[in-house]
Amino acid sequence: SDGLPDGLTLPDVSPQMMPMHFGTVGEHFVQITAKLGDHEVNGGMRYKAWAHYRERVLERLGGWHLIASGPDFATFSISQSVAVAAAAERHAKISKEERRYWGDKSDFCRCLELVLNEMEPRADKTPVPSSYQLFCQDRRREHKEEGHAMPLEVKVLGAMWKGLTEEERKPWVEKADHLKVSGAALGMLRKRSRCLEGGAGQHGDLP
């Protein structure tokens, strides 16, 4: 590390994490520096994925060669052929789950998001509804069942909700809390199951 600027560290990359074929003789390479200091943005997705699952990210990136990294950045060198292949996959609208090549900073962020979702799967991609949203769902359904042709307007629903006491709102508040707890518990169970399956596979218990 002698001679390196403050905060700059050389990567500790094991041989198995390096790409098997890093370009060909005479091939051009491009250098990409990605910022990772998004602790307060999108839940710190980029920083979290890189900090906790760096080996998995490097495996996913494949043809990317890590040159150096610091507290809030990572610098890579990638061959032009990899960048071209990544552009072709983007043009073909291949989903990030099926991507094999990544070619720029945007791709790097997509890869980080993919790895984080793999390692920490959410119970449900759809946000848990709030107590007010649950109230609106119930009132709209009741309104329709009563035979009204015109749906309830948002401002009417808002006024109805504001007119309720804390006690009257309680059923929807409790239901929203229950959905949040259930979703979190299911996410933990799926993560634990994934870990157990991975451990079993290492011992040959799974095909």
Side-chain angles (χ1 to χ4, degrees), residues 23 83 98 111-112 135 154 163:
E98 299 177 343
C111 184
L112 290 174
F135 166 80
V154 173

Side-chain angles (χ1 to χ4, degrees), residues 129-145:
S130 66
S131 55
Y132 170 67
Q133 290 172 324
L134 292 172
F135 166 80
C136 290
Q137 290 175 5
D138 288 346
R139 285 293 173 263
R140 286 191 177 106
R141 184 180 64 254
E142 292 173 1
H143 187 75
K144 185 177 181 180
E145 290 174 351

Side-chain angles (χ1 to χ4, degrees), residues 92-163:
K93 298 185 181 336
I94 296 177
S95 67
K96 62 178 178 285
E97 290 79 11
E98 299 177 343
R99 292 281 297 274
R100 296 181 56 195
Y101 302 100
W102 316 87
D104 55 22
K105 293 180 183 180
S106 296
D107 273 354
F108 178 68
C109 291
R110 294 185 186 99
C111 184
L112 290 174
E113 180 181 355
L114 172 63
V115 169
L116 190 60
N117 288 339
E118 287 178 346
M119 304 307 291
E120 299 182 7
R122 291 173 291 176
D124 191 347
K125 303 295 183 181
T126 304
V128 177
S130 66
S131 55
Y132 170 67
Q133 290 172 324
L134 292 172
F135 166 80
C136 290
Q137 290 175 5
D138 288 346
R139 285 293 173 263
R140 286 191 177 106
R141 184 180 64 254
E142 292 173 1
H143 187 75
K144 185 177 181 180
E145 290 174 351
E146 290 172 357
H148 298 285
M150 299 297 293
L152 283 172
E153 296 182 3
V154 173
K155 63 180 181 180
V156 175
L157 289 167
M160 293 171 65
W161 178 253
K162 290 180 180 179

